[in-house]
Structures are given as C-alpha cells and as structure tokens.
C-alpha cells in the first residue's frame, strides 16, 4: 500500500499565525533584516557583472525614480503658491506694494488623482453592476487527441480584442482559442457631454469585471472598461497636450449585437 499525504494548499500559514501568533522576537528580526538589506543590495551591486548587472541597475534606477515621484507628490500637498498679479479693489497701502501675497494651497493635480484611481481600479461608470457570467458560458470545451479524450483546450465564445502585434501560439499548444470572427478592433463610443457617437480604434482591455483572466485574454463583455484612441476627437489636457487614449465602458452584449457600443468615461 502507498499512502499519499495531501499537503494543505490553502492559507494554512495565515491560519497558523492567527491561532498561535508570531515569534516573540518577530518585530526585532524584521527590523534587523530590513536594516541589512541596504548592505546586501550594495554588496550584490558590487559583485554582479555582465547582463545581470545591467538588469539590476535598471531595476534600481526605476525604483529610485518611483520613490522620488512619491516624495514629490507628498511635498506637493503643502505647497506655497504665489497668487497671480490680480488688481484688487480699493487702494493697497504703500508698505504692501512690494510684498508678494503667498497662499498655502494643497495641490493634488488631476493626473495624480487619475493615477490613484487607476491603481485602485475604480471609476464612476455608467454600469456599476453587471450579471456574472459562468465559465461554461464563457468557454466551450474543445476535445483533442487521437480519440478525443483530452479536454484541456477552451474556445472563447465572447467578443475579444487582440493587438496588431499578436502572434498565435502553434495551434497544437494553444490553450485559449479566440476565433477570428469574434475579434474586434473598433467600437462605437458615445461622448456623454457632446451627445455624439464616434467609431474609434480599441487600444486595449483595461478591466473585465468578471475576472482578471478574462482581462488578460482581452475578452469584452457588458461592463468591461476598454481603452480607446480619442486622438481624432481633439481632446487636450490642461497643459495643452493631446489626449491619446481614454477609457470607455461597454454597454451592450457584443456577442449578440455584432458590434461594441461604449460610453466614454469623462
């Protein structure tokens, strides 16, 4: 007889921590480990060479840039903004003529707010709730093998988006099949303020509310947030730059209608 001991595959470490707590010196060890990391990183940076050194330095460079951006964002909150030269009503005393008026303002630009929203994955969308789609409805099982015994392939039954530079895997090894007939490149996007509809190119699928798997596969269902090319609409930012991509939410069932209708998120 062979006894197979099934290893627990769930959150058993968290359960153990909740039941019995951490080691008594956990905080101290974590603090010391964090303090050692600086020296370990420096030692590794001196020791590594070749392609690994290039990749490591690039990674560190990006981390430092991100850290500087975060610090700058926090500094912006308490920023001294000089008031514009506005002629005020009434006479200004002589001793105030040379003095510049400074007002303390909490500055959080729209772009920072937008980035925060993107990270959180939250938008004020026209369709806040959508019907859940089961896996059986989303995928069709494709039987393969000499005797049609294997059933690990799936065909996507909903509308999908794949980029221009997409190359299929060899058909034998392709797990998720996205049929050509169900692939879309353009969408009918309605601007809620202009009350007009435009046929725009799709740049990508930002978030499918059903699952992260469907987002990565580029599946477009009702309620999906897609990114569309709005350069031809002539939208500009506050600094005067042309807006290239903007998000829109799909409002119809593309697999039934044969087209994608969406509302621009402004």
């Amino acid at each position: 007889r062979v006894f197979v001991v099934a290893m627990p595959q769930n959150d058993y470490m968290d359960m153990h921590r909740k039941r019995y707590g951490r080691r008594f010196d956990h905080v101290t060890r974590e603090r010391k480990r964090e303090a050692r990391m600086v020296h370990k990183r420096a030692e590794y940076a001196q020791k590594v060479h070749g392609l690994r050194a290039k990749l490591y330095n690039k990674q560190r460079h990006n981390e430092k840039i991100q850290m500087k951006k975060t610090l700058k964002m926090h500094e912006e909150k308490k920023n001294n903004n000089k008031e514009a030269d506005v002629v005020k009503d009434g006479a200004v005393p002589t001793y105030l003529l040379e003095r510049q008026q400074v007002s303390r303002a909490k500055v959080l630009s729209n772009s920072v707010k937008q980035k925060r929203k993107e990270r959180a994955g939250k938008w004020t969308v026209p369709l806040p709730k959508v019907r859940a789609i089961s896996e059986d409805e989303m995928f069709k099982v494709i039987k393969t093998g000499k005797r049609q015994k294997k059933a690990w392939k799936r065909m996507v039954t909903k509308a999908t988006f794949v980029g221009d530079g997409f190359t299929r895997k060899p058909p034998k090894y392709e797990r998720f099949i996205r049929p050509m007939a169900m692939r879309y490149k353009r969408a009918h996007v309605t601007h809620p303020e202009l009350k007009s509809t435009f046929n725009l190119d799709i740049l990508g699928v930002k978030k499918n509310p059903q699952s992260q798997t469907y987002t990565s596969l580029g599946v477009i269902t009702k309620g999906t947030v897609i990114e569309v090319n709005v350069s031809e609409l002539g939208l500009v930012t506050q600094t005067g730059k042309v807006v290239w991509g903007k998000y829109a939410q799909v409002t119809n069932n593309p697999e039934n209608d044969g087209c994608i209708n969406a509302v621009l998120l402004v």
Side-chain angles (χ1 to χ4, degrees):
R1 286 184 182 179
V2 179
F3 295 99
V4 179
V5 180
M7 289 294 290
Q9 296 299 319
N10 303 323
D11 48 357
Y12 57 94
M13 289 172 77
D14 291 332
M15 290 297 291
H16 185 276
R17 200 175 293 131
K18 282 174 185 172
R19 284 175 188 156
Y20 306 108
R22 297 181 184 272
R23 315 171 36 124
F24 68 94
D25 59 345
H26 170 76
V27 180
T28 314
R29 284 166 65 90
E30 281 296 311
R31 180 176 54 78
K32 287 183 177 178
R33 186 182 285 119
E34 204 173 325
R36 278 198 302 271
M37 275 303 293
V38 183
H39 302 287
K40 292 234 177 195
R41 273 181 169 178
E43 188 185 344
Y44 180 75
Q46 288 174 352
K47 190 170 65 176
V48 73
H49 57 84
L51 183 62
R52 275 192 184 151
K54 275 188 179 178
L55 293 172
Y56 182 73
N57 289 332
K58 190 179 179 184
Q59 181 196 334
R60 289 290 294 143
H61 179 66
N62 292 339
E63 282 175 14
K64 284 175 183 175
I65 288 171
Q66 201 59 45
M67 191 162 56
K68 281 181 181 175
K69 279 183 181 175
T70 312
L71 290 171
K72 195 176 180 183
M73 197 167 67
H74 287 298
E75 283 170 11
E76 272 187 343
K77 286 182 185 176
K78 294 178 180 178
N79 193 9
N80 288 343
N81 282 341
K82 290 176 183 175
E83 285 183 357
D85 296 331
V86 181
V87 179
K88 295 184 179 179
D89 297 332
V92 180
T94 317
Y95 60 88
L96 288 180
L97 286 173
E98 294 297 321
R99 190 181 298 175
Q100 286 180 319
Q101 300 294 325
V102 175
S103 66
R104 294 188 69 79
K106 284 192 173 183
V107 180
L108 271 175
S109 61
N110 287 338
S111 58
V112 172
K113 285 181 183 174
Q114 182 68 19
K115 279 177 186 173
R116 282 183 182 175
K117 277 185 186 177
E118 282 173 25
R119 284 200 197 107
K122 291 173 185 173
W123 295 275
T124 49
V125 289
L127 299 173
K129 287 185 179 180
V130 288
R131 180 181 69 86
I133 298 173
S134 65
E135 203 168 299
D136 297 333
E137 188 184 342
M138 183 71 76
F139 299 121
K140 178 187 172 186
V141 179
I142 302 292
K143 297 282 182 77
T144 55
K146 190 176 179 181
R147 287 172 179 68
Q148 304 293 301
K149 289 276 187 181
K150 297 174 183 175
W152 55 273
K153 286 193 176 188
R154 298 286 181 272
M155 183 186 282
V156 181
T157 59
K158 304 291 180 186
T160 56
F161 167 78
V162 292
D164 292 329
F166 171 71
T167 308
R168 275 184 70 184
K169 284 182 181 177
K172 187 179 177 181
Y173 304 111
E174 193 175 30
R175 175 158 162 69
F176 293 106
I177 301 162
R178 291 173 282 188
M180 289 288 289
M182 297 295 285
R183 294 184 193 176
Y184 291 83
K185 289 191 174 181
R186 296 178 79 83
H188 304 299
V189 182
T190 304
H191 197 295
E193 292 172 3
L194 299 176
K195 297 284 188 290
S196 50
T197 306
F198 307 93
N199 192 11
L200 304 175
D201 288 320
I202 301 172
L203 296 176
V205 176
K206 181 67 181 174
K207 189 168 180 66
N208 189 314
Q210 305 293 339
S211 165
Q212 179 58 38
T213 311
Y214 304 153
T215 306
S216 56
L217 282 172
V219 178
I220 300 171
T221 54
K222 192 173 184 176
T224 303
V225 176
I226 57 174
E227 192 173 5
V228 289
N229 185 356
V230 292
S231 56
E232 59 191 63
L233 301 187
L235 301 174
V236 291
T237 60
Q238 292 173 341
T239 54
K241 291 179 181 176
V242 177
V243 178
W244 176 259
K246 218 158 173 53
Y247 297 129
Q249 191 186 30
V250 178
T251 54
N252 71 325
N253 293 311
E255 69 276 6
N256 296 345
D257 300 341
C259 66
I260 296 173
N261 298 335
V263 176
L264 205 66
L265 303 179
V266 289

